[in-house]
Amino acid sequence: MSAPYPWLVSVWQRLLATRTRPAQALLLAGPRGVGKSELALAWARALLCEAPLADGGACGQCPACHWFDTGSHPDFRLVTLQEKTGKEGETRMATAIEVDQAREAVDYVQLSTYRAGFRVVLVDPADSLNLAAANALLKVLEEPPLNTVFVLVSDQPRRLLPTIRSRCTRLDVGLPEAEMATQWLAGQQVRDAATLLALSGGAPLNAQRWADGTELDERLGVLQGLSRPEQLDPVTLGDRWKAVSPQIWHNVVYKWLGDLLAVKLQGQVRFNRDFAEVLAGLGNKVDLARLLALAKTQANEGRTLAHPLNRTLQLEAWLIQYRHLFD
């Protein structure tokens, strides 16, 4: 089995070199959108394969590989965010991995393995473990049972408990070279790959998601409004943009503020290259101190995107602050 993506070949080979004696607690860390989750699944599949290839990769033919592909391997457990049903019957994704999930994983690894080989527990995203769940998992990470491998995947490893990080062998998965990523996106029939890659901060899978979804239209609507701060009506736009998902809103405006800051400091537009001319004009007018304060507020907002706040009022308050950047 080859690496999930071409830019992961070297990392994949490093993992395969350890197959006979893998790290019992592995932390795959790096930015979102580079394929860490796919890499972790491929590693779990390779470890559980009962007839591995010469390089250590999964054969894809043995019973263990078939079970893994159908999601029914008894020696594999995925600990991840789960859907929750609210009081009014609405379904939404949980914002944290709960302690009950961690305790179930701890109980699971105390059992004998089904196939007398490795057992793999994949925690993804590990930075979503709440404090109680992290502490429950920490106990077993200190002394993992024989032939048990924990794989933790994290976009923000600093959010993990230092004691968890210290017990893991860390493997960083970085951004690919822009040329390789652009070529791969072009091979996936993604139009204007270079622009989308810049918008995604160099993460090719994020660029592909931009191309496959409706987010580009939402982004365009938001940025057209932010491009004309002197005409901006916080009440009207707050009501209009409340339908934009908090995650998309955060990603779009945070990168917009980042580009504004770069221009103000005589740098280059990094994310929104299709708005480079507009940003150049606004960057000359923006108040640096206010911009830094708003960018800091926006960064903190990224930690509370799912908070049940009044979305319209939240947007209105933000837009008022944004408009004042150019007073």
Side-chain angles (χ1 to χ4, degrees):
M1 179 181 177
S2 59
Y5 300 104
W7 57 86
L8 296 178
V9 170
S10 61
V11 177
W12 180 238
Q13 290 175 342
R14 288 176 62 184
L15 284 173
L16 291 181
T18 68
R19 189 192 181 282
T20 56
R21 298 186 64 183
Q24 285 193 277
L26 174 69
L27 172 60
L28 293 176
R32 184 176 303 174
V34 296
K36 299 186 303 300
S37 295
E38 293 84 350
L39 182 66
L41 286 170
W43 180 229
R45 190 170 185 255
L47 290 173
L48 295 172
C49 176
E50 296 174 353
L53 302 176
D55 65 356
C59 69
Q61 304 296 323
C62 69
C65 285
H66 288 306
W67 289 337
F68 191 87
D69 292 340
T70 59
S72 58
H73 199 295
D75 289 327
F76 175 74
R77 177 65 59 92
L78 173 63
V79 181
T80 189
L81 296 173
Q82 297 180 341
E83 290 187 342
K84 301 182 69 174
T85 302
K87 295 180 180 179
E88 298 181 1
E90 76 281 5
T91 301
R92 60 180 178 84
M93 189 62 68
T95 59
I97 295 175
E98 304 290 345
V99 65
D100 288 346
Q101 296 173 257
R103 287 172 178 164
E104 288 176 4
V106 172
D107 292 341
Y108 167 72
V109 300
Q110 306 305 324
L111 304 174
S112 300
T113 58
Y114 183 79
R115 301 289 285 185
F118 285 113
R119 177 198 288 113
V120 181
V121 177
L122 172 57
V123 185
D124 182 13
D127 43 67
S128 292
L129 289 161
N130 66 24
L131 182 58
N135 281 320
L137 195 62
L138 177 62
K139 296 178 182 179
V140 75
L141 287 178
E142 292 174 344
E143 295 184 17
L146 186 65
N147 291 333
T148 296
V149 174
F150 284 88
V151 182
L152 282 64
V153 178
S154 177
D155 302 330
Q156 303 176 68
R158 290 186 179 181
R159 292 183 59 186
L160 293 170
L161 290 178
T163 44
I164 285 184
R165 294 200 305 266
S166 68
R167 285 161 176 76
C168 293
T169 297
R170 176 166 170 165
L171 185 58
D172 288 305
V173 183
L175 294 169
E177 294 291 336
E179 183 177 356
M180 176 184 290
T182 302
Q183 289 178 352
W184 180 83
L185 287 167
Q188 305 301 309
Q189 311 304 313
V190 173
R191 296 182 179 180
D192 202 6
T195 297
L196 290 181
L197 188 64
L199 176 60
S200 304
L205 300 186
N206 286 348
Q208 187 181 36
R209 293 187 190 102
W210 276 108
D212 292 343
T214 61
E215 290 87 351
L216 279 177
D217 292 336
E218 293 180 324
R219 166 188 174 264
L220 182 60
V222 170
L223 295 191
Q224 285 175 341
L226 298 182
S227 297
R228 299 184 291 271
E230 71 284 352
Q231 302 175 19
L232 188 151
D233 181 352
V235 175
T236 300
L237 291 182
D239 186 63
R240 181 187 305 169
W241 290 347
K242 67 183 180 183
V244 178
S245 80
Q247 184 66 59
I248 293 173
W249 162 264
H250 174 73
N251 288 338
V252 169
V253 300
Y254 189 55
K255 290 173 180 176
W256 180 260
L257 294 177
D259 279 339
L260 266 178
L261 182 59
V263 172
K264 183 66 176 179
L265 298 178
Q266 309 301 314
Q268 299 294 320
V269 171
R270 177 183 177 189
F271 301 109
N272 301 284
R273 295 180 181 177
D274 48 340
F275 280 80
E277 186 174 344
V278 173
L279 285 160
L282 292 177
N284 294 325
K285 304 174 184 177
V286 72
D287 182 276
L288 179 58
R290 291 178 178 177
L291 175 58
L292 288 170
L294 185 57
K296 182 178 180 180
T297 299
Q298 191 63 36
N300 292 333
E301 183 186 297
R303 304 170 187 170
T304 58
L305 292 177
H307 196 284
L309 300 169
N310 185 309
R311 189 65 184 151
T312 302
L313 293 179
Q314 187 182 29
L315 288 169
E316 287 177 12
W318 190 95
L319 289 166
I320 291 171
Q321 285 184 276
Y322 177 77
R323 190 173 58 183
H324 287 324
L325 297 181
F326 306 95
D327 289 346

